[in-house]
Amino acid sequence: MENIEQKIEELIKQYEEYAKEKGFNLNPNRKIVEGVVRALLMREESFGEKYCPCRKTTGDKEADKKIICPCAYHLEEIEKDGHCYCNLFVK
């Protein structure tokens, strides 16, 4: 079984590629990125999905789909604020 550090690195790479494709970046602060990714993996273990750690789950699977990272709000937030709510992605 993979250890948590490997999972964190793999997910960071996936999010880096995703950000690059979309024209933004991961937060340059590695501690923030690792903290968010670690929280996403914990939520996946607890709830079965990588729900944004900065948003509350409702328990309604359909409604909560919007907060699976990258969430439904991140593009608009990055455009408006220069970063998404949890600071994983930045302009």
Side-chain angles (χ1 to χ4, degrees):
M1 172 146 169
E2 282 183 295
N3 72 32
I4 189 71
E5 298 308 316
Q6 285 174 303
K7 284 184 173 183
I8 289 169
E9 285 308 311
E10 286 172 17
L11 195 51
I12 287 173
K13 280 192 181 103
Q14 288 174 21
Y15 285 139
E16 278 175 339
E17 288 172 22
Y18 171 80
K20 198 170 165 182
E21 285 171 18
K22 296 290 185 181
F24 44 85
N25 299 293
L26 279 187
N27 191 316
N29 184 327
R30 178 76 182 195
K31 283 190 187 307
I32 289 173
V33 171
E34 285 179 8
V36 172
V37 167
R38 194 176 296 273
L40 285 165
L41 291 170
M42 285 170 39
R43 287 190 126 203
E44 182 178 41
E45 201 172 293
S46 299
F47 302 111
E49 296 288 354
K50 292 179 192 81
Y51 293 118
C52 177
C54 301
R55 299 183 192 274
K56 287 190 175 177
T57 55
T58 65
D60 176 341
K61 287 264 189 213
E62 197 55 40
D64 288 344
K65 279 183 182 178
K66 291 179 182 170
I67 62 168
I68 295 171
C69 187
C71 74
Y73 314 103
H74 75 290
L75 294 175
E76 184 181 321
E77 291 168 349
I78 294 164
E79 188 60 40
K80 187 173 126 266
D81 303 323
H83 58 84
C84 67
Y85 188 62
C86 66
N87 276 305
L88 179 62
F89 298 113
V90 298
K91 257 189 190 174

Coordinates of all heavy atoms in Angstrom, one line a residue:
M1 N 0.8 -1.2 0.0 CA 0.0 0.0 0.0 C 0.9 1.3 0.0 O 1.9 1.3 0.7 CB -0.9 0.0 1.2 CG -1.7 1.2 1.4 SD -3.3 1.0 2.1 CE -3.7 2.7 2.4
E2 N 0.4 2.2 -0.8 CA 1.2 3.5 -0.8 C 1.2 4.2 0.5 O 0.2 4.2 1.2 CB 0.5 4.4 -1.8 CG 0.7 4.2 -3.2 CD 0.0 5.2 -4.1 OE1 -1.3 5.3 -4.0 OE2 0.7 6.0 -4.7
N3 N 2.2 4.9 0.8 CA 2.2 5.7 2.0 C 1.6 7.1 1.7 O 1.4 7.5 0.5 CB 3.5 5.8 2.7 CG 4.5 6.7 2.0 OD1 4.2 7.6 1.3 ND2 5.8 6.3 2.1
I4 N 1.2 7.8 2.7 CA 0.5 9.1 2.5 C 1.4 10.1 1.8 O 0.8 10.9 1.0 CB 0.0 9.6 3.9 CG1 -0.9 10.8 3.7 CG2 1.2 10.0 4.8 CD1 -2.3 10.5 3.2
E5 N 2.7 10.1 2.0 CA 3.5 11.1 1.3 C 3.5 10.8 -0.2 O 3.5 11.8 -0.9 CB 5.0 11.0 1.9 CG 5.1 11.3 3.4 CD 4.4 12.6 3.8 OE1 4.6 13.6 3.1 OE2 3.7 12.7 4.8
Q6 N 3.5 9.6 -0.6 CA 3.4 9.3 -2.0 C 2.1 9.8 -2.6 O 2.1 10.3 -3.7 CB 3.6 7.8 -2.3 CG 5.0 7.2 -2.1 CD 5.0 5.7 -2.2 OE1 4.3 5.0 -1.5 NE2 5.7 5.2 -3.2
K7 N 1.0 9.5 -1.9 CA -0.3 10.0 -2.4 C -0.3 11.5 -2.5 O -0.9 12.0 -3.4 CB -1.4 9.5 -1.4 CG -1.7 8.1 -1.5 CD -2.9 7.7 -0.6 CE -3.4 6.3 -0.9 NZ -4.6 6.0 0.0
I8 N 0.3 12.2 -1.5 CA 0.3 13.6 -1.5 C 1.1 14.1 -2.8 O 0.6 15.0 -3.5 CB 0.9 14.2 -0.2 CG1 0.0 14.0 0.9 CG2 1.3 15.7 -0.4 CD1 0.6 14.3 2.3
E9 N 2.2 13.5 -3.0 CA 3.0 13.9 -4.2 C 2.3 13.7 -5.5 O 2.3 14.5 -6.4 CB 4.4 13.2 -4.2 CG 5.4 13.7 -3.2 CD 5.6 15.3 -3.2 OE1 5.8 15.8 -4.3 OE2 5.5 15.9 -2.2
E10 N 1.6 12.5 -5.6 CA 0.9 12.2 -6.8 C -0.2 13.2 -7.1 O -0.4 13.7 -8.2 CB 0.3 10.8 -6.7 CG 1.4 9.7 -6.9 CD 0.9 8.3 -6.6 OE1 -0.4 8.1 -6.6 OE2 1.7 7.4 -6.5
L11 N -1.0 13.5 -6.0 CA -2.1 14.5 -6.1 C -1.6 15.9 -6.5 O -2.2 16.6 -7.3 CB -2.9 14.5 -4.9 CG -4.3 15.1 -5.0 CD1 -5.1 14.5 -6.2 CD2 -5.1 14.9 -3.7
I12 N -0.5 16.3 -5.8 CA 0.1 17.6 -6.2 C 0.5 17.7 -7.6 O 0.2 18.6 -8.3 CB 1.3 17.9 -5.2 CG1 0.8 18.2 -3.8 CG2 2.1 19.1 -5.8 CD1 1.9 18.4 -2.8
K13 N 1.1 16.6 -8.2 CA 1.4 16.6 -9.6 C 0.2 16.7 -10.5 O 0.2 17.4 -11.4 CB 2.2 15.3 -9.9 CG 3.6 15.3 -9.6 CD 4.4 14.1 -10.2 CE 5.8 14.2 -9.8 NZ 6.2 13.2 -8.7
Q14 N -0.9 16.0 -10.1 CA -2.1 16.0 -10.9 C -2.7 17.4 -10.9 O -3.1 17.9 -11.9 CB -3.2 15.1 -10.3 CG -2.9 13.6 -10.5 CD -3.9 12.7 -9.8 OE1 -5.0 13.1 -9.4 NE2 -3.5 11.5 -9.6
Y15 N -2.7 18.1 -9.7 CA -3.2 19.4 -9.6 C -2.3 20.4 -10.3 O -2.8 21.4 -10.9 CB -3.5 19.8 -8.1 CG -4.7 19.2 -7.5 CD1 -4.7 18.7 -6.2 CD2 -5.9 19.0 -8.3 CE1 -5.8 18.1 -5.7 CE2 -7.0 18.4 -7.7 CZ -7.0 18.0 -6.4 OH -8.1 17.4 -5.9
E16 N -1.0 20.2 -10.3 CA -0.1 21.1 -11.1 C -0.4 21.0 -12.5 O -0.5 22.1 -13.2 CB 1.3 20.7 -10.8 CG 2.0 21.2 -9.6 CD 3.4 20.7 -9.3 OE1 3.8 19.6 -9.9 OE2 4.1 21.3 -8.6
E17 N -0.6 19.8 -13.1 CA -1.0 19.7 -14.5 C -2.3 20.3 -14.8 O -2.4 21.0 -15.8 CB -1.0 18.2 -14.8 CG 0.4 17.6 -14.9 CD 0.4 16.1 -15.0 OE1 -0.6 15.5 -15.5 OE2 1.4 15.4 -14.7
Y18 N -3.3 20.1 -13.9 CA -4.6 20.6 -14.1 C -4.5 22.2 -14.2 O -5.0 22.8 -15.1 CB -5.5 20.2 -13.0 CG -6.9 20.9 -13.0 CD1 -7.9 20.5 -13.9 CD2 -7.1 22.0 -12.2 CE1 -9.1 21.2 -13.9 CE2 -8.3 22.7 -12.2 CZ -9.3 22.3 -13.1 OH -10.5 23.0 -13.2
A19 N -3.8 22.8 -13.2 CA -3.7 24.2 -13.1 C -3.0 24.8 -14.4 O -3.5 25.7 -15.0 CB -2.9 24.6 -11.9
K20 N -1.9 24.1 -14.9 CA -1.2 24.5 -16.1 C -2.2 24.5 -17.3 O -2.2 25.5 -18.0 CB 0.0 23.5 -16.3 CG 1.0 24.0 -17.2 CD 2.2 23.1 -17.1 CE 3.2 23.3 -18.2 NZ 4.3 22.4 -18.2
E21 N -2.9 23.4 -17.4 CA -3.9 23.3 -18.5 C -4.9 24.5 -18.5 O -5.3 25.0 -19.5 CB -4.7 22.0 -18.4 CG -3.9 20.8 -18.8 CD -4.7 19.5 -18.5 OE1 -5.9 19.6 -18.3 OE2 -4.1 18.5 -18.5
K22 N -5.3 24.9 -17.3 CA -6.3 26.0 -17.1 C -5.7 27.4 -17.1 O -6.5 28.3 -17.1 CB -7.1 25.7 -15.8 CG -7.9 24.5 -15.8 CD -9.1 24.5 -16.8 CE -9.9 23.3 -16.7 NZ -11.0 23.4 -17.7
G23 N -4.4 27.5 -17.1 CA -3.8 28.8 -17.2 C -3.5 29.5 -15.8 O -3.4 30.7 -15.8
F24 N -3.5 28.7 -14.8 CA -3.1 29.3 -13.5 C -2.1 28.3 -12.8 O -1.6 27.5 -13.5 CB -4.3 29.6 -12.6 CG -5.4 28.5 -12.5 CD1 -5.3 27.4 -11.6 CD2 -6.5 28.5 -13.3 CE1 -6.3 26.4 -11.6 CE2 -7.5 27.6 -13.3 CZ -7.4 26.5 -12.4
N25 N -1.8 28.5 -11.5 CA -0.8 27.7 -10.9 C -1.3 27.2 -9.5 O -2.3 27.6 -9.0 CB 0.4 28.7 -10.6 CG 1.0 29.2 -11.8 OD1 1.6 28.5 -12.6 ND2 0.9 30.5 -12.0
L26 N -0.5 26.3 -9.0 CA -0.7 25.9 -7.6 C 0.0 27.0 -6.8 O 0.9 27.7 -7.2 CB 0.1 24.6 -7.3 CG -0.6 23.3 -7.6 CD1 0.2 22.1 -7.1 CD2 -2.0 23.3 -7.1
N27 N -0.5 27.2 -5.6 CA 0.1 28.2 -4.6 C 1.6 27.9 -4.5 O 2.0 26.8 -4.3 CB -0.6 28.0 -3.3 CG -0.3 29.1 -2.3 OD1 0.8 29.6 -2.2 ND2 -1.3 29.6 -1.7
P28 N 2.4 29.0 -4.6 CA 3.8 28.8 -4.5 C 4.3 28.4 -3.1 O 5.4 27.9 -2.9 CB 4.4 30.1 -4.9 CG 3.3 31.1 -4.8 CD 2.0 30.3 -5.0
N29 N 3.4 28.5 -2.1 CA 3.7 28.1 -0.7 C 3.4 26.7 -0.6 O 2.3 26.2 -0.5 CB 2.9 29.0 0.2 CG 3.2 28.7 1.7 OD1 3.6 27.5 2.0 ND2 3.1 29.7 2.5
R30 N 4.5 25.9 -0.6 CA 4.4 24.4 -0.6 C 3.6 23.9 0.7 O 2.9 22.9 0.6 CB 5.8 23.8 -0.6 CG 5.9 22.4 -0.5 CD 5.5 21.7 -1.9 NE 5.6 20.3 -1.7 CZ 5.6 19.4 -2.7 NH1 5.6 19.9 -3.9 NH2 5.7 18.2 -2.5
K31 N 3.8 24.6 1.8 CA 3.1 24.2 3.1 C 1.6 24.3 2.9 O 0.9 23.4 3.4 CB 3.6 25.0 4.3 CG 5.0 24.6 4.8 CD 5.2 25.3 6.1 CE 6.6 25.2 6.7 NZ 7.1 23.8 6.8
I32 N 1.1 25.3 2.3 CA -0.3 25.5 2.0 C -0.8 24.4 1.1 O -1.8 23.7 1.4 CB -0.6 26.9 1.4 CG1 -0.4 27.9 2.5 CG2 -2.1 26.9 0.9 CD1 -0.6 29.4 2.0
V33 N -0.1 24.1 0.0 CA -0.5 23.1 -0.9 C -0.5 21.7 -0.2 O -1.5 21.0 -0.3 CB 0.5 23.1 -2.1 CG1 0.2 21.8 -3.0 CG2 0.3 24.3 -3.0
E34 N 0.5 21.4 0.5 CA 0.6 20.1 1.2 C -0.6 20.0 2.2 O -1.2 18.9 2.4 CB 1.9 19.9 1.8 CG 3.0 19.5 0.9 CD 4.4 19.3 1.5 OE1 4.5 19.3 2.7 OE2 5.3 19.2 0.7
G35 N -0.8 21.1 2.9 CA -1.9 21.0 3.9 C -3.3 20.8 3.3 O -4.1 20.0 3.8
V36 N -3.5 21.5 2.2 CA -4.8 21.3 1.5 C -4.9 19.9 1.0 O -6.0 19.2 1.1 CB -5.0 22.4 0.4 CG1 -6.3 22.1 -0.4 CG2 -5.1 23.8 1.0
V37 N -3.9 19.4 0.3 CA -3.9 18.1 -0.3 C -4.0 17.0 0.8 O -4.8 16.1 0.6 CB -2.6 17.9 -1.2 CG1 -2.5 16.4 -1.5 CG2 -2.7 18.7 -2.4
R38 N -3.4 17.2 1.9 CA -3.5 16.2 3.0 C -4.9 16.2 3.5 O -5.5 15.1 3.7 CB -2.5 16.6 4.1 CG -2.3 15.6 5.2 CD -1.3 16.1 6.2 NE 0.1 16.3 5.6 CZ 1.0 15.4 5.5 NH1 0.7 14.2 5.9 NH2 2.2 15.6 5.0
A39 N -5.5 17.4 3.6 CA -6.9 17.5 4.1 C -7.9 16.9 3.0 O -8.9 16.2 3.4 CB -7.3 18.9 4.3
L40 N -7.6 17.0 1.8 CA -8.4 16.4 0.7 C -8.4 14.9 0.8 O -9.4 14.2 0.7 CB -7.9 16.9 -0.7 CG -8.3 18.3 -1.1 CD1 -7.4 18.7 -2.3 CD2 -9.7 18.4 -1.4
L41 N -7.2 14.4 1.0 CA -7.0 12.9 1.2 C -7.7 12.4 2.4 O -8.3 11.3 2.4 CB -5.6 12.5 1.2 CG -4.9 12.7 -0.2 CD1 -3.4 12.5 0.0 CD2 -5.4 11.8 -1.3
M42 N -7.7 13.1 3.5 CA -8.4 12.8 4.7 C -9.9 12.7 4.5 O -10.6 11.8 4.9 CB -8.1 13.7 5.9 CG -6.7 13.4 6.4 SD -6.1 14.7 7.6 CE -7.5 15.1 8.6
R43 N -10.4 13.7 3.7 CA -11.8 13.8 3.4 C -12.2 12.7 2.5 O -13.3 12.1 2.6 CB -12.2 15.2 2.8 CG -12.2 16.2 3.9 CD -12.7 17.5 3.5 NE -13.8 17.9 4.5 CZ -14.8 18.7 4.2 NH1 -15.0 19.2 3.0 NH2 -15.7 18.9 5.2
E44 N -11.4 12.3 1.6 CA -11.6 11.2 0.7 C -11.8 9.9 1.5 O -12.7 9.1 1.3 CB -10.6 11.1 -0.4 CG -10.8 9.9 -1.3 CD -9.8 9.8 -2.4 OE1 -8.6 10.0 -2.1 OE2 -10.1 9.6 -3.6
E45 N -10.9 9.8 2.5 CA -10.9 8.6 3.3 C -12.2 8.6 4.2 O -12.9 7.5 4.3 CB -9.7 8.6 4.3 CG -9.4 7.2 4.8 CD -8.1 7.2 5.5 OE1 -7.0 7.4 4.9 OE2 -8.1 7.0 6.8
S46 N -12.6 9.7 4.7 CA -13.8 9.8 5.5 C -15.1 9.8 4.8 O -16.1 9.1 5.2 CB -13.8 11.1 6.4 OG -12.7 11.1 7.2
F47 N -15.2 10.5 3.6 CA -16.4 10.7 2.9 C -16.5 10.0 1.5 O -17.5 10.0 0.9 CB -16.7 12.2 2.7 CG -16.8 12.9 4.0 CD1 -15.8 13.8 4.3 CD2 -17.8 12.7 4.9 CE1 -15.9 14.6 5.5 CE2 -17.9 13.4 6.1 CZ -16.9 14.3 6.4
G48 N -15.4 9.5 1.0 CA -15.3 8.8 -0.3 C -15.0 9.7 -1.4 O -15.0 9.3 -2.6
E49 N -14.9 11.0 -1.2 CA -14.6 12.0 -2.3 C -13.6 13.0 -1.7 O -13.6 13.3 -0.5 CB -15.8 12.7 -2.7 CG -16.9 11.9 -3.4 CD -16.5 11.4 -4.8 OE1 -15.4 11.8 -5.3 OE2 -17.2 10.5 -5.4
K50 N -12.9 13.7 -2.6 CA -11.9 14.8 -2.2 C -12.7 16.1 -2.1 O -12.6 17.0 -2.9 CB -10.8 14.9 -3.2 CG -9.9 13.7 -3.2 CD -8.8 13.9 -4.2 CE -8.0 12.6 -4.5 NZ -8.7 11.7 -5.4
Y51 N -13.5 16.2 -1.1 CA -14.3 17.4 -0.9 C -13.4 18.5 -0.4 O -12.5 18.3 0.4 CB -15.4 17.2 0.2 CG -16.5 16.3 -0.3 CD1 -16.7 15.1 0.4 CD2 -17.3 16.5 -1.4 CE1 -17.7 14.2 0.0 CE2 -18.3 15.7 -1.8 CZ -18.5 14.5 -1.1 OH -19.5 13.7 -1.5
C52 N -13.6 19.7 -0.9 CA -12.8 20.9 -0.5 C -12.8 21.0 1.1 O -13.9 21.0 1.7 CB -13.4 22.2 -1.1 SG -12.6 23.7 -0.6
P53 N -11.6 21.1 1.7 CA -11.6 21.1 3.1 C -12.1 22.4 3.7 O -12.3 22.5 4.9 CB -10.1 20.9 3.4 CG -9.4 21.3 2.2 CD -10.3 21.0 1.1
C54 N -12.3 23.4 2.8 CA -12.7 24.7 3.3 C -14.2 24.9 3.2 O -14.8 26.0 3.5 CB -12.0 25.8 2.5 SG -10.2 25.7 2.7
R55 N -14.9 23.9 2.8 CA -16.4 24.0 2.6 C -17.0 22.8 3.3 O -16.5 21.7 3.5 CB -16.7 23.9 1.1 CG -16.1 25.0 0.3 CD -16.6 25.0 -1.1 NE -15.8 25.9 -2.0 CZ -16.0 27.1 -2.2 NH1 -17.1 27.7 -1.6 NH2 -15.3 27.9 -2.9
K56 N -18.3 23.1 3.8 CA -19.0 22.1 4.6 C -19.7 21.2 3.7 O -20.4 21.6 2.7 CB -20.0 22.8 5.5 CG -19.3 23.4 6.7 CD -20.3 23.9 7.7 CE -19.6 24.4 8.9 NZ -20.3 24.9 9.9
T57 N -19.7 19.9 4.0 CA -20.5 18.9 3.2 C -21.9 18.9 3.8 O -22.1 19.2 5.0 CB -19.9 17.5 3.3 OG1 -19.8 17.2 4.7 CG2 -18.6 17.4 2.7
T58 N -22.9 18.7 3.0 CA -24.3 18.7 3.4 C -24.8 17.3 3.7 O -25.8 17.2 4.4 CB -25.2 19.3 2.3 OG1 -25.2 18.4 1.2 CG2 -24.7 20.7 1.9
G59 N -24.1 16.3 3.2 CA -24.6 14.9 3.3 C -25.4 14.5 2.1 O -25.7 13.4 1.9
D60 N -25.8 15.5 1.3 CA -26.5 15.2 0.1 C -25.5 15.1 -1.0 O -24.8 16.0 -1.5 CB -27.4 16.4 -0.2 CG -28.1 16.3 -1.6 OD1 -27.7 15.5 -2.4 OD2 -29.1 17.0 -1.7
K61 N -25.3 13.8 -1.5 CA -24.2 13.5 -2.5 C -24.3 14.4 -3.7 O -23.3 14.8 -4.2 CB -24.3 12.0 -2.9 CG -23.8 11.1 -1.8 CD -22.4 10.7 -2.1 CE -21.9 9.6 -1.2 NZ -20.5 9.7 -0.9
E62 N -25.5 14.6 -4.2 CA -25.7 15.4 -5.4 C -25.3 16.8 -5.2 O -24.5 17.4 -6.0 CB -27.2 15.3 -5.8 CG -27.4 15.7 -7.3 CD -26.6 15.0 -8.3 OE1 -26.4 13.7 -8.2 OE2 -26.1 15.6 -9.3
A63 N -25.7 17.4 -4.1 CA -25.3 18.8 -3.8 C -23.8 18.9 -3.5 O -23.2 19.9 -3.9 CB -26.1 19.3 -2.6
D64 N -23.3 17.9 -2.8 CA -21.9 18.0 -2.4 C -20.9 17.7 -3.6 O -19.7 18.0 -3.5 CB -21.6 16.9 -1.3 CG -22.2 17.4 0.0 OD1 -22.5 18.5 0.1 OD2 -22.3 16.5 0.9
K65 N -21.4 17.3 -4.8 CA -20.6 17.1 -6.0 C -19.9 18.4 -6.3 O -18.8 18.4 -6.8 CB -21.4 16.6 -7.2 CG -21.6 15.2 -7.2 CD -22.4 14.8 -8.4 CE -22.7 13.3 -8.5 NZ -23.5 13.0 -9.7
K66 N -20.6 19.5 -6.0 CA -20.0 20.9 -6.4 C -18.7 21.2 -5.6 O -18.0 22.1 -6.0 CB -21.1 22.0 -6.0 CG -22.3 21.9 -6.9 CD -23.2 23.0 -6.5 CE -24.4 23.0 -7.3 NZ -25.5 23.9 -6.8
I67 N -18.5 20.5 -4.5 CA -17.3 20.9 -3.7 C -16.2 19.8 -3.7 O -15.3 19.8 -2.9 CB -17.7 21.2 -2.2 CG1 -18.4 20.0 -1.5 CG2 -18.6 22.4 -2.2 CD1 -18.5 20.2 0.0
I68 N -16.3 18.9 -4.7 CA -15.2 18.0 -5.0 C -14.1 18.7 -5.7 O -14.4 19.4 -6.7 CB -15.7 16.7 -5.8 CG1 -16.7 15.9 -5.0 CG2 -14.5 15.9 -6.2 CD1 -17.4 14.8 -5.8
C69 N -12.9 18.7 -5.2 CA -11.8 19.4 -5.7 C -11.4 18.9 -7.1 O -11.2 17.7 -7.2 CB -10.6 19.4 -4.7 SG -9.2 20.4 -5.2
P70 N -11.1 19.7 -8.1 CA -11.4 21.2 -8.0 C -12.9 21.5 -8.1 O -13.6 21.0 -8.9 CB -10.7 21.7 -9.3 CG -10.5 20.5 -10.2 CD -10.6 19.3 -9.3
C71 N -13.3 22.3 -7.1 CA -14.7 22.5 -6.9 C -15.4 23.4 -8.1 O -14.7 24.0 -8.9 CB -15.0 23.2 -5.6 SG -14.5 24.9 -5.5
A72 N -16.7 23.4 -8.1 CA -17.4 24.2 -9.1 C -17.1 25.7 -9.0 O -17.4 26.4 -10.0 CB -18.9 23.9 -8.9
Y73 N -16.6 26.2 -8.0 CA -16.4 27.6 -7.8 C -15.0 28.1 -8.0 O -14.8 29.3 -8.1 CB -16.8 28.0 -6.3 CG -18.1 27.3 -5.9 CD1 -18.1 26.2 -5.0 CD2 -19.3 27.8 -6.3 CE1 -19.3 25.6 -4.6 CE2 -20.5 27.2 -5.9 CZ -20.5 26.1 -5.1 OH -21.6 25.5 -4.7
H74 N -14.1 27.2 -8.2 CA -12.7 27.7 -8.2 C -12.3 28.6 -9.4 O -11.6 29.6 -9.2 CB -11.7 26.5 -8.1 CG -11.6 25.7 -9.4 ND1 -12.6 24.9 -9.9 CD2 -10.5 25.6 -10.3 CE1 -12.2 24.4 -11.0 NE2 -10.9 24.8 -11.3
L75 N -12.9 28.3 -10.6 CA -12.5 29.2 -11.7 C -12.9 30.6 -11.5 O -12.2 31.6 -11.7 CB -13.1 28.6 -13.0 CG -12.5 27.3 -13.4 CD1 -13.3 26.8 -14.7 CD2 -11.0 27.3 -13.7
E76 N -14.2 30.8 -11.0 CA -14.7 32.1 -10.8 C -13.9 32.8 -9.7 O -13.6 34.0 -9.7 CB -16.2 32.0 -10.4 CG -16.9 33.3 -10.2 CD -18.3 33.1 -9.8 OE1 -19.0 32.2 -10.4 OE2 -18.8 33.9 -9.0
E77 N -13.6 32.1 -8.6 CA -12.9 32.7 -7.5 C -11.5 33.1 -7.9 O -11.0 34.2 -7.5 CB -12.8 31.6 -6.3 CG -14.1 31.4 -5.7 CD -14.1 30.2 -4.8 OE1 -13.1 29.4 -4.8 OE2 -15.1 30.0 -4.0
I78 N -10.8 32.3 -8.7 CA -9.4 32.6 -9.2 C -9.5 33.9 -10.0 O -8.7 34.8 -9.9 CB -8.8 31.5 -10.0 CG1 -8.5 30.3 -9.0 CG2 -7.5 31.9 -10.6 CD1 -8.3 29.0 -9.7
E79 N -10.5 34.0 -10.9 CA -10.7 35.1 -11.7 C -11.0 36.4 -10.9 O -10.4 37.4 -11.1 CB -11.8 34.9 -12.7 CG -12.0 35.9 -13.8 CD -10.8 36.1 -14.7 OE1 -10.1 35.1 -15.0 OE2 -10.4 37.3 -15.0
K80 N -11.8 36.3 -9.9 CA -12.2 37.4 -9.1 C -11.2 37.8 -8.1 O -10.9 39.0 -7.9 CB -13.6 37.1 -8.5 CG -14.2 38.2 -7.7 CD -15.6 37.8 -7.3 CE -15.9 38.0 -5.8 NZ -15.7 37.1 -4.8
D81 N -10.7 36.8 -7.3 CA -9.8 37.0 -6.2 C -8.4 36.8 -6.4 O -7.6 37.1 -5.5 CB -10.3 36.2 -5.0 CG -11.8 36.4 -4.6 OD1 -12.2 37.6 -4.7 OD2 -12.5 35.5 -4.3
G82 N -8.0 36.1 -7.5 CA -6.6 35.7 -7.7 C -6.2 34.4 -7.1 O -5.1 33.9 -7.3
H83 N -7.2 33.8 -6.5 CA -7.0 32.4 -5.9 C -8.3 31.8 -5.6 O -9.3 32.5 -5.5 CB -6.1 32.5 -4.6 CG -6.8 33.4 -3.5 ND1 -7.7 33.0 -2.7 CD2 -6.6 34.7 -3.3 CE1 -8.1 34.0 -1.9 NE2 -7.5 35.1 -2.2
C84 N -8.3 30.5 -5.4 CA -9.5 29.8 -5.0 C -9.7 30.0 -3.5 O -8.7 30.4 -2.8 CB -9.6 28.4 -5.4 SG -8.4 27.3 -4.6
Y85 N -10.8 29.6 -3.0 CA -11.2 29.8 -1.6 C -10.2 29.2 -0.6 O -9.8 29.8 0.4 CB -12.6 29.2 -1.3 CG -13.2 29.5 0.0 CD1 -13.4 30.8 0.4 CD2 -13.5 28.5 0.9 CE1 -14.0 31.1 1.7 CE2 -14.0 28.7 2.1 CZ -14.3 30.1 2.5 OH -14.8 30.3 3.7
C86 N -9.7 28.0 -0.9 CA -8.7 27.4 0.0 C -7.3 27.7 -0.3 O -6.3 27.2 0.3 CB -8.9 25.9 0.0 SG -8.6 25.1 -1.5
N87 N -7.0 28.5 -1.3 CA -5.7 28.9 -1.7 C -4.8 27.8 -2.3 O -3.6 28.0 -2.4 CB -4.9 29.5 -0.5 CG -5.3 31.0 -0.4 OD1 -5.1 31.8 -1.3 ND2 -5.7 31.4 0.8
L88 N -5.4 26.8 -2.8 CA -4.7 25.7 -3.5 C -4.2 26.3 -4.9 O -3.1 26.1 -5.3 CB -5.5 24.5 -3.7 CG -4.9 23.3 -4.4 CD1 -3.6 22.8 -3.7 CD2 -5.9 22.2 -4.6
F89 N -5.2 26.9 -5.6 CA -4.9 27.4 -6.9 C -4.8 28.9 -6.9 O -5.6 29.6 -6.2 CB -6.0 27.0 -7.9 CG -6.2 25.5 -8.1 CD1 -7.3 24.9 -7.7 CD2 -5.2 24.8 -8.7 CE1 -7.5 23.5 -7.8 CE2 -5.3 23.4 -8.9 CZ -6.5 22.8 -8.4
V90 N -3.8 29.5 -7.6 CA -3.6 30.9 -7.7 C -3.4 31.4 -9.1 O -3.0 30.6 -10.0 CB -2.5 31.4 -6.8 CG1 -2.7 31.1 -5.4 CG2 -1.1 30.8 -7.3
K91 N -3.6 32.6 -9.4 CA -3.4 33.2 -10.7 C -1.9 33.2 -11.0 O -1.1 33.4 -10.2 CB -3.9 34.6 -10.8 CG -5.2 34.7 -11.6 CD -5.5 36.2 -11.8 CE -6.9 36.2 -12.4 NZ -7.4 37.5 -12.5

